Amino acid sequence: MTALSVSTSSAASLRADALVVGVAKGPKGIVLAPGAEAVNEAFEGKLADVLSTLGATGAEGEAVKVPSPAGLKAALVLAVGLGEAGEEGYGLETLRRAAGVAARTLAGAKKAALVLPAEAVEEVEAVALGGLLGSYAFGAYKGNGNGKEPVGELVVLAPRKGSKDAKAAVERAAAIGEEMNRARDLVNTAPNDLNPKSFAAIAQAAGKEHGLKVEVLDEKALTKGGFGGLLGVGNGSENPPRLVKVAYTHPKAKATLAFVGKGITYDSGGISLKPAGHNETMKCDMAGAAAVFAAVVAAKRLGLAVNVTGWLALAENMPSGSATRPGDVLRMYGGKTVEVLNTDAEGRLVLADAIVRAGEENPDVIVDVATLTGAMVLALGNRTFGVMSNSDELREDLHALAGEVGEQSWPMPLPADLRKGMTESTIADLANMGERMGGGLVAGLFLKEFVAEGIDWAHLDIAGPAFHEGAPFGYTPKGGTASAVRTLVRFAERTANGKA
């Protein structure tokens, strides 16, 4: 794992494999970003000219290497693009992405120094987090020598003034980034290794390590408790379901948040089997549970003055002679009955059980996170998650908080007219399907049916950004992304500060 540290030394005096500077597009060619002054001096003021000669333009995502001249103790200078040069500096997300590009480009190096424009504490944190996320690589199944190791250490250069605050910012970035990378590991793990039982064991181990209270309901406890949604989805698998509660409490907390995560460790679709071309990446259908798990651990590591309980609804959706059939009726936790019209609409079933159980503890807010619908991907694309809520204020707050931490989201409605289709079952209280058009909104309306009266609730559908199948960009790797973790942590942080 990549180590993070902070330094107030001059870039010229730092011993490292590489120094990373920022360059941007100016009106007359590339311009050096603040922080590169000492490096430029070593190049006798000609670093921008050298980079231009090598084809650098300053575009976002660009990375150009130059051997270091005499006067620098690092062997290499890496210039990363920041996009258009702005009079007001560079945004936090720009810095995160540039640091991520640098870390990925420098895979195999032992030590690199990030000499990016980071004067303010928030900028230091952004550079550190982007670098840590960009250094991520999942190599659990690759043989020795197959691929470069992540960069060993990233040093963030910060001003001497406020160095204590800078160090705290880097430590905060490490807590969030390491938990995001834990979530990525979970999403990327093959489904023959990650099932409900093994996921629960990982949560128990993390609870022991970080002082969290973890409770696991196995199939016997779920049967006794009447968790029909989890049991119905898990019936077809040899790996039975689990409901995992991961609780962090703070002695000075004045509010309690419940985060609920969909944890389908593999989704074949069940009897409503997915066709070839749609099931190869379905190990990622537990990304919501991974995000919730990571957010709770991060809240504990940050010592936030808020109570946060994560509920991981874990099951494997498989076809077999014991699997739930289209037409079956499930009695959910809490008593409602649901006619299953499509076994591939299973995420809402496990979430419904967990939402009802979470509501019994009377939290101030419930937020569920799920790779729930392909319809949301069609609506918003692969990089944006949808935000739905029974509270307009909560929906707008979460959308704004996501933007603050660099996650793309969009507020979505819950139109009352779409409820009708799923309430027209002739044999049950609800059907797990409704109108085809607006399917992502229908799924949100279904979940809303299980939220206790008086509790604010929000639903984040991360089906698009949870698993990235294209080429890496910024600090985003191919595979699991840890979508929604930062939004949940920022929401917990904001709540701890009394702004819930």
Side-chain angles (χ1 to χ4, degrees):
M1 182 182 295
T2 300
L4 284 178
S5 62
V6 64
S7 175
T8 58
S9 300
S10 164
S13 65
L14 269 175
R15 294 187 182 277
D17 295 302
L19 295 175
V20 179
V21 299
V23 295
K25 290 182 174 182
K28 297 181 180 180
I30 67 169
V31 295
L32 302 179
E37 294 83 4
V39 179
N40 188 39
E41 186 177 337
F43 279 86
E44 298 181 348
K46 305 252 177 153
L47 178 56
D49 293 338
V50 171
L51 292 169
S52 294
T53 300
L54 293 173
T57 65
E60 282 195 39
E62 185 179 76
V64 177
K65 296 178 180 178
V66 184
S68 294
L72 297 180
K73 292 188 177 179
L76 182 76
V77 172
L78 175 68
V80 290
L82 299 172
E84 297 291 338
E87 294 181 3
E88 299 181 1
Y90 302 93
L92 299 180
E93 182 64 3
T94 296
L95 295 177
R96 289 187 202 101
R97 291 191 180 191
V101 169
R104 188 170 61 253
T105 302
L106 294 171
K110 292 182 179 179
K111 183 178 181 180
L114 301 174
V115 196
L116 294 169
E119 292 284 330
V121 170
E122 295 81 6
E123 293 169 336
V124 172
E125 182 183 325
V127 170
L129 180 58
L132 183 56
L133 295 177
S135 70
Y136 174 81
F138 183 72
Y141 301 109
K142 295 200 172 188
N144 293 333
N146 192 348
K148 294 180 179 178
E149 289 294 316
V151 58
E153 180 184 0
L154 291 172
V155 182
V156 182
L157 260 68
R160 192 173 300 277
K161 183 179 179 180
S163 59
K164 288 185 178 179
D165 291 337
K167 183 179 180 182
V170 170
E171 289 173 351
R172 184 177 185 278
I176 296 172
E178 287 169 6
E179 294 313 317
M180 288 180 66
N181 286 342
R182 185 205 296 267
R184 290 169 166 184
D185 280 347
L186 286 166
V187 174
N188 290 329
T189 298
N192 57 315
D193 286 330
L194 189 74
N195 56 51
K197 183 178 179 180
S198 61
F199 195 152
I202 290 169
Q204 288 174 314
K208 190 173 183 180
E209 178 186 357
H210 294 288
L212 300 166
K213 185 177 181 181
V214 179
E215 299 176 18
V216 179
L217 297 185
D218 62 12
E219 65 273 27
K220 292 180 180 178
L222 292 172
T223 300
K224 184 177 179 180
F227 289 85
L230 276 157
L231 292 166
V233 173
N235 271 347
S237 174
E238 292 183 357
N239 299 305
R242 296 287 187 270
L243 179 62
V244 181
K245 176 184 176 182
V246 183
Y248 161 61
T249 57
H250 192 282
K252 295 183 180 179
K254 295 182 179 179
T256 298
L257 304 177
F259 296 156
V260 178
K262 173 188 172 184
I264 304 299
T265 57
Y266 182 75
D267 182 18
S268 71
I271 297 296
S272 305
L273 193 66
K274 293 179 185 290
H278 292 79
N279 57 15
E280 292 82 357
T281 61
M282 282 298 100
K283 65 181 183 181
C284 78
D285 216 16
M286 38 58 66
V292 164
F293 174 42
V296 176
V297 178
K300 172 62 169 68
R301 292 181 62 177
L302 294 171
L304 302 182
V306 60
N307 297 330
V308 184
T309 303
W311 298 89
L312 317 181
L314 309 177
E316 190 175 62
N317 187 23
M318 297 291 285
S320 73
S322 60
T324 293
R325 299 156 287 244
D328 283 357
V329 174
L330 305 178
R331 186 170 298 277
M332 311 293 285
Y333 184 73
K336 280 191 174 74
T337 55
V338 174
E339 181 182 10
V340 178
L341 300 181
N342 187 327
T343 64
D344 197 22
E346 83 299 328
R348 64 199 71 183
L349 300 175
V350 301
L351 284 173
D353 273 0
I355 287 171
V356 174
R357 178 64 189 89
E360 290 180 339
E361 299 196 354
N362 297 311
D364 295 281
V365 178
I366 296 174
V367 181
D368 78 70
V369 187
T371 49
L372 204 59
T373 64
M376 196 58 60
V377 185
L378 291 174
L380 298 179
N382 290 318
R383 297 190 184 182
T384 304
F385 62 76
V387 185
M388 287 154 268
S389 179
N390 61 1
S391 161
D392 291 344
E393 182 180 359
L394 177 59
R395 183 182 65 240
E396 295 304 319
D397 280 351
L398 287 168
H399 171 52
L401 292 172
E404 287 180 14
V405 297
E407 296 203 276
Q408 295 175 212
S409 72
W410 196 252
M412 301 293 281
L414 291 172
D417 56 288
L418 289 180
R419 181 177 179 272
K420 183 179 179 182
M422 65 182 184
T423 59
E424 289 183 337
S425 170
T426 58
I427 60 173
D429 297 323
L430 295 167
N432 76 329
M433 296 290 288
E435 293 187 28
R436 180 169 177 266
M437 300 303 174
L441 311 182
V442 170
L445 286 164
F446 180 90
L447 296 178
K448 184 182 176 185
E449 295 288 323
F450 295 86
V451 179
E453 187 174 350
I455 296 179
D456 286 345
W457 154 84
H459 163 56
L460 310 183
D461 190 336
I462 62 170
F467 195 83
H468 179 57
E469 295 187 64
F473 67 95
Y475 51 79
T476 301
K478 190 168 186 175
T481 64
S483 177
V485 173
R486 283 175 289 164
T487 299
L488 294 178
V489 172
R490 179 57 63 90
F491 181 54
E493 192 170 44
R494 203 273 303 265
T495 303
N497 293 331
K499 298 180 182 178

